[in-house]
Amino acid sequence: MKYDTALLHGNFEGDTNTGATLIPIYQSSAFGQKTAEEIEKIFHNKAPGYAYSRISNPTVASFESRITYLENGLASVAVSSGMAAISVALLNILGAGDEIISKASVFGGTLDFFKDIEKLGIKVHIVEDITKDELEGLVNSKTKAVFAETIGNPKLDVTDIKAAADLIHSYGLPFILDNTTATTYILRGIDLGADIIINSSSKYINGSSNSISGIITDSGNFKWTEEKYPVMGEYLKLGKFAFTAKLRNDTFRNFGCCLSPMNAYFNSLGLETLGLRMDRHCKNALALAEALENKAGIREVNYPMLKSSPYYTKANDILGGKGGGILTLRLYTKERAFAFINSLKYAVNITNIGDTKTLVIHPSSTIYAHSSEAEQAKAGVYDDLIRVSVGIEDIRDLTEDFLSALEYVNEKLPF
């Protein structure tokens, strides 16, 4: 199937019992079984079925199956948020004394989570990029994984996934990739060598800012060993299913970060138009970036597919010429940045990305509020920077709105 067909039909047939073209919302906490023997088998994974929605639910399972198909993965586990996805995916393989390596250009909440797990005795090393020079002095017997985002949010640097995967695998480590900003519309990380894919499905997958959720997709390709990953324990006997089996029956199950059936339903609805929306997001973002580039009062416009971008070559080669739906602007001062945000007519001042509407935020004072100035700089965050998640409005309206806001700010607050 081609991409847009797969969004509608990949691992999905609707409700075979009634003929409904959408999966029903199984808004039930628990599921009864006819006999004690049946529910025992379900709890011990010896029979298919559902017992309790914290563990599994038919509406959620349908969403998971569709994402697995799109990612070309082995299995997926949907959770209550993007941060929950990052948290349980990493904690599924980590214990006190372990170490991981992450690119600096990751979401502010991810950096906050790294600080939290350091309190549990897990060391996190931050690097500018995944290169041999960066990793050589850091990888040791305690290193358990390397983490990165496909397109950094909001630095907008591009990870060379295949090169990174080859290097990471040469050390015998798994590559955990957050593909939220790119989605499968731009690339499939598993096809390029990533082992575990994270998506905050609250964003582009959902598309309408109506549901918080996340999803983890396992490629089944990484060879887990008892010597390197003793926390995997009994699940290692399951071979390529080891990671997902431990996640579903241990970490995810016990942390209780389940996705609600209603949110899984909304995500499935959004998924069906992902290709159409991402196409418009990418086109609008490039057009808006080009309209704002080199305008007086703007210190810098950053978008991967701008020819002036330091990431242009990578974006063109790795992302297939699609730069995603996010751009950033720097306006010389925080005061000017705030005034610009407040002057916009169509853009919503909100801490999210991937909505049909254009969204703006001042990252330094919000999603990176708990990061130091040095940490912010490494992540591409500055006091005068605005992140723009470009929506699917008519680009002529967006361009007029942004240029009018710039004209107002230049008049009121000369730079």
Side-chain angles (χ1 to χ4, degrees):
M1 283 183 274
K2 304 302 182 187
Y3 187 75
D4 285 330
T5 307
L7 289 172
L8 298 169
H9 300 286
N11 272 5
F12 181 69
E13 295 180 337
D15 181 26
T16 55
N17 292 325
T18 64
T21 58
L22 298 174
I23 191 72
I25 303 169
Y26 290 90
Q27 195 66 32
S28 179
S29 300
F31 300 85
Q33 305 299 328
K34 292 180 179 180
T35 67
E37 287 81 3
E38 287 180 71
I39 199 166
E40 179 188 36
K41 288 178 182 178
I42 292 171
F43 259 82
H44 289 270
N45 301 308
K46 293 181 179 179
Y50 301 94
Y52 194 54
S53 278
R54 175 168 59 81
I55 301 167
S56 59
N57 175 282
T59 312
V60 178
S62 174
F63 173 59
E64 291 169 338
S65 180
R66 298 176 79 169
I67 293 294
T68 300
Y69 184 90
L70 291 170
E71 294 285 2
N72 196 25
L74 177 72
S76 296
V77 177
V79 295
S80 55
S81 70
M83 283 309 307
I86 292 170
S87 301
V88 297
L90 286 168
L91 292 175
N92 198 46
I93 60 173
L94 298 175
D98 288 342
E99 300 181 7
I100 63 170
I101 298 170
S102 172
K103 282 186 69 173
S105 56
V106 296
F107 173 60
T110 305
L111 292 176
D112 291 344
F113 168 70
F114 290 160
K115 293 175 184 177
D116 288 336
I117 63 174
E118 287 198 324
K119 297 172 187 175
L120 302 176
I122 298 168
K123 177 67 177 175
V124 182
H125 298 281
I126 304 296
V127 297
E128 290 292 329
D129 202 356
I130 301 173
T131 64
K132 190 171 182 61
D133 288 343
E134 291 270 20
L135 267 58
E136 192 64 42
L138 296 178
V139 175
N140 58 61
S141 61
K142 298 178 181 179
T143 310
K144 297 300 169 70
V146 179
F147 181 89
E149 293 182 3
T150 304
I151 306 173
N153 171 20
K155 190 174 183 178
L156 303 181
D157 58 327
V158 178
T159 300
D160 187 335
I161 297 170
K162 187 177 187 311
D166 290 344
L167 176 62
I168 293 164
H169 292 156
S170 73
Y171 291 104
L173 298 172
F175 183 16
I176 300 178
L177 179 70
D178 187 328
N179 199 40
T180 298
T181 49
T183 76
T184 52
Y185 171 80
I186 293 180
L187 60 81
R188 293 199 301 196
I190 288 174
D191 291 353
L192 296 173
D195 298 293
I196 308 293
I197 303 295
I198 304 290
N199 277 285
S200 175
S201 42
S202 317
K203 310 301 190 292
Y204 292 102
I205 289 173
N206 175 271
S208 297
S209 291
N210 60 36
S211 304
I212 298 296
S213 56
I215 191 159
I216 305 157
T217 302
D218 179 13
S219 69
N221 295 330
F222 188 75
K223 304 297 189 295
W224 307 96
T225 65
E226 186 172 5
E227 180 182 13
K228 183 73 174 176
Y229 299 93
V231 296
M232 298 291 282
E234 62 182 291
Y235 298 103
L236 292 172
K237 65 186 179 183
L238 299 176
K240 64 181 181 179
F241 289 97
F243 178 89
T244 297
K246 181 177 184 295
L247 184 64
R248 188 169 291 282
N249 292 284
D250 186 334
T251 314
F252 156 75
R253 180 177 185 147
N254 295 335
F255 271 75
C257 51
C258 56
L259 177 60
S260 74
M262 180 68 78
N263 285 2
Y265 175 82
F266 284 139
N267 287 343
S268 293
L269 284 181
L271 188 64
E272 297 191 348
T273 60
L274 178 61
L276 299 174
R277 289 183 286 104
M278 285 301 294
D279 183 65
R280 177 66 74 87
H281 286 307
C282 292
K283 288 178 179 177
N284 274 2
L286 176 58
L288 185 59
E290 289 175 336
L292 296 171
E293 190 176 29
N294 299 320
K295 288 292 187 293
I298 296 180
R299 181 175 181 176
E300 177 186 78
V301 179
N302 185 17
Y303 181 69
M305 283 310 300
L306 280 178
K307 292 182 179 178
S308 60
S309 168
Y311 316 116
Y312 174 76
T313 300
K314 274 189 176 182
N316 206 42
D317 294 343
I318 298 165
L319 306 181
K322 303 179 184 74
I326 301 173
L327 62 87
T328 61
L329 310 172
R330 295 187 64 185
L331 286 97
Y332 291 101
T333 68
K334 177 181 178 180
E335 187 181 14
R336 281 173 53 85
F338 274 32
F340 185 90
I341 290 172
N342 295 340
S343 301
L344 291 168
K345 181 168 57 173
Y346 296 121
V348 184
N349 182 20
I350 195 169
T351 175
N352 196 20
I353 61 172
D355 198 325
T356 50
K357 303 174 185 66
T358 295
L359 315 175
V360 294
I361 195 73
H362 180 256
S364 179
S365 62
T366 56
I367 51 182
Y368 284 84
H370 301 127
S371 299
S372 68
E373 189 174 331
E375 289 170 332
Q376 288 189 17
K378 286 183 179 179
V381 176
Y382 303 95
D383 211 27
D384 65 338
L385 181 132
I386 297 170
R387 185 189 71 186
V388 184
S389 174
V390 184
I392 63 172
E393 299 96 337
D394 190 302
I395 188 59
R396 294 168 293 186
D397 290 323
L398 289 180
T399 301
E400 180 182 353
D401 190 18
F402 275 71
L403 290 176
S404 295
L406 179 61
E407 183 179 355
Y408 171 81
V409 171
N410 286 345
E411 180 181 340
K412 296 296 182 181
L413 298 168
F415 56 98

